[in-house]
Amino acid sequence: MNQKIGFGIIGCGVIADFHANALFGLPEEAVLVGVADARPESAQRFAQAKQVYAFASVEEMLACPEIDVVTICVPSGFHADIAVKAANAGKHIIVEKPMAITKEQLDAMEEACARNGVLLSSIAQSRFTKGVSMTKQAIADGLLGKLVCADVYMKFNRTQEYYNSGGWRGTKAMDGGGALMNQGIHGVDLLLYLAGDVKSVYAVSKTLARQIEVEDTLSAVVEFKSGATGVIQATTSVYPGYPRRLELNGDKGSIVLEEGNVVRWDLENPGKQDIVLQPTMYSSAATPTAISVDNHTKQFKDVIRALRTGTKPLIDIHEGRRPVDLILAIYQSAEEHRVIEL
């Protein structure tokens, strides 16, 4: 793969714009060939705006030899079906979060990708921020000592109008869950990335302020395999909404992140990293699109690197399903009112 890698975007909703702009940010490495959508008029409109081809259907896109990778930007409940079709067509895959919404869907995607020898990367762009990278390195260097607590607080605001704007939003069948599965999954991914695997979880889930099928408020207590404990809170029901806050506390130091920015760096041995504490510039706490495209671009670049070198991307199919598996266990705990062992 020495030439530019050809991409196609499936689904022309809000997030597709981020995928297109991420690809336009890599003009030497990637080319956006075209787009497809279940509504042809949406594909035509998006294609015209981006000056690319509008495929008449997903099947036409998957048959196109110029496309090496498809990016899936449809409602969550459709991710697995399209990913399996893409894998069977020999296309590599980038899929928006969550990778899928049931264990059966996750398993089907893994099987199809393995059978067809294609790469799948699930969007987890928050891992590519400088603050997260520095925190990951500090933990690896032992600068926090023994990890004691690892917590993530995602107190967001989504209005009833937001949920009403799309018939799939806030539904079990298409969203897979509410505040945790949709808005909170990036925080869950970062928690697992930085603090490691979870051993057990106990959760309480409620729908307190929005008229939706799924939760708008959830709290979970987790025990990590390392022995550390933690809290996961996810809401879309609080005003005005606050940036995601990730707190990591060890017996030798603590680090706090707001979104991707380090806001506390309190270490007994601060190490050699040049730390600049800075306020949060971008936050989707109240507006879903209030994020930068930069980290999507970094993730796309990492996928291209993996394709060219035959290595794994930072977020491969196994990493992509980890936060979903944990969220499904959290939902099971809330439904059955008991501790779930992972």
Side-chain angles (χ1 to χ4, degrees):
M1 282 191 179
N2 294 320
Q3 71 275 25
K4 292 182 183 181
I5 295 176
F7 283 78
I9 296 175
I10 300 174
C12 296
V14 173
I15 201 64
D17 202 52
F18 288 85
H19 286 227
N21 290 336
L23 291 168
F24 294 151
L26 300 167
E28 302 302 316
E29 302 173 69
V31 58
L32 176 58
V33 176
V35 299
D37 193 281
R39 296 165 297 180
E41 66 276 12
S42 294
Q44 289 284 354
R45 187 165 52 248
F46 193 90
Q48 186 174 11
K50 302 299 181 183
Q51 297 186 313
V52 298
Y53 181 71
F55 289 94
S57 66
V58 171
E59 288 72 23
E60 185 191 5
M61 176 184 286
L62 295 180
C64 177
E66 296 177 24
I67 289 182
D68 305 295
V69 185
V70 296
T71 81
I72 300 174
C73 300
V74 298
S76 306
F78 294 127
H79 286 180
D81 181 58
I82 293 176
V84 169
K85 288 180 180 178
N88 289 338
K91 306 300 184 185
H92 302 289
I93 301 157
I94 297 175
V95 58
E96 259 300 333
K97 56 81 184 170
M99 182 174 136
I101 58 175
T102 69
K103 180 184 183 301
E104 292 75 19
Q105 290 178 354
L106 293 166
D107 292 343
M109 293 167 78
E110 279 206 83
E111 189 278 330
C113 289
R115 175 164 41 82
N116 292 286
V118 300
L119 174 153
L120 185 148
S121 182
S122 180
I123 289 292
Q125 80 276 8
S126 297
R127 288 198 192 186
F128 292 87
T129 62
K130 183 179 179 182
V132 170
S133 298
M134 288 170 22
T135 302
K136 179 75 170 176
Q137 189 61 52
I139 293 170
D141 292 342
L143 298 183
L144 273 69
K146 182 175 180 59
L147 193 63
V148 176
C149 298
D151 314 299
V152 63
Y153 303 100
M154 300 166 287
K155 297 185 177 181
F156 301 155
N157 181 274
R158 296 291 183 270
T159 64
Q160 189 62 48
E161 289 71 28
Y162 162 83
Y163 288 107
N164 294 344
S165 68
W168 66 279
R169 297 188 191 278
T171 66
K172 184 71 172 175
M174 286 294 108
D175 228 351
L180 188 61
M181 181 70 88
N182 189 311
Q183 287 76 25
I185 193 166
H186 287 304
V188 174
D189 176 71
L190 288 181
L191 192 68
L192 290 169
Y193 181 55
L194 296 172
D197 288 329
V198 167
K199 177 184 176 184
S200 66
V201 62
Y202 180 77
V204 176
S205 173
K206 294 179 178 290
T207 308
L208 296 175
R210 303 289 177 253
Q211 295 176 355
I212 53 177
E213 292 179 7
V214 289
E215 87 285 351
D216 64 14
T217 306
L218 182 144
S219 296
V221 176
V222 298
E223 180 185 4
F224 294 90
K225 288 185 177 178
S226 67
T229 63
V231 172
I232 297 173
Q233 278 196 332
T235 80
T236 53
S237 56
V238 301
Y239 181 85
Y242 299 95
R244 179 184 63 232
R245 187 174 179 89
L246 184 67
E247 301 184 1
L248 299 154
N249 308 106
D251 64 348
K252 300 293 184 183
S254 296
I255 298 173
V256 178
L257 296 163
E258 277 194 358
E259 301 297 343
N261 296 331
V262 175
V263 295
R264 296 298 300 265
W265 187 272
D266 303 319
L267 305 181
E268 191 174 284
N269 172 17
K272 298 179 181 179
Q273 298 196 60
D274 184 21
I275 305 302
V276 178
L277 305 185
Q278 59 187 46
T280 301
M281 298 300 294
Y282 296 98
S283 172
S284 59
T287 305
T289 56
I291 58 174
S292 167
V293 74
D294 293 349
N295 294 318
H296 274 83
T297 305
K298 291 175 184 177
Q299 181 164 356
F300 276 52
K301 188 177 181 68
D302 180 64
V303 170
I304 291 169
R305 174 201 57 77
L307 288 171
R308 293 196 187 283
T309 59
T311 57
K312 290 183 179 181
L314 178 61
I315 302 101
D316 63 6
I317 195 166
H318 303 294
E319 286 294 299
R321 74 172 292 166
R322 282 176 75 205
V324 183
D325 283 329
L326 176 55
I327 289 169
L328 292 174
I330 289 171
Y331 285 161
Q332 183 183 357
S333 172
E335 185 176 336
E336 298 179 4
H337 306 289
R338 67 183 180 93
V339 173
I340 298 296
E341 302 280 341
L342 280 83

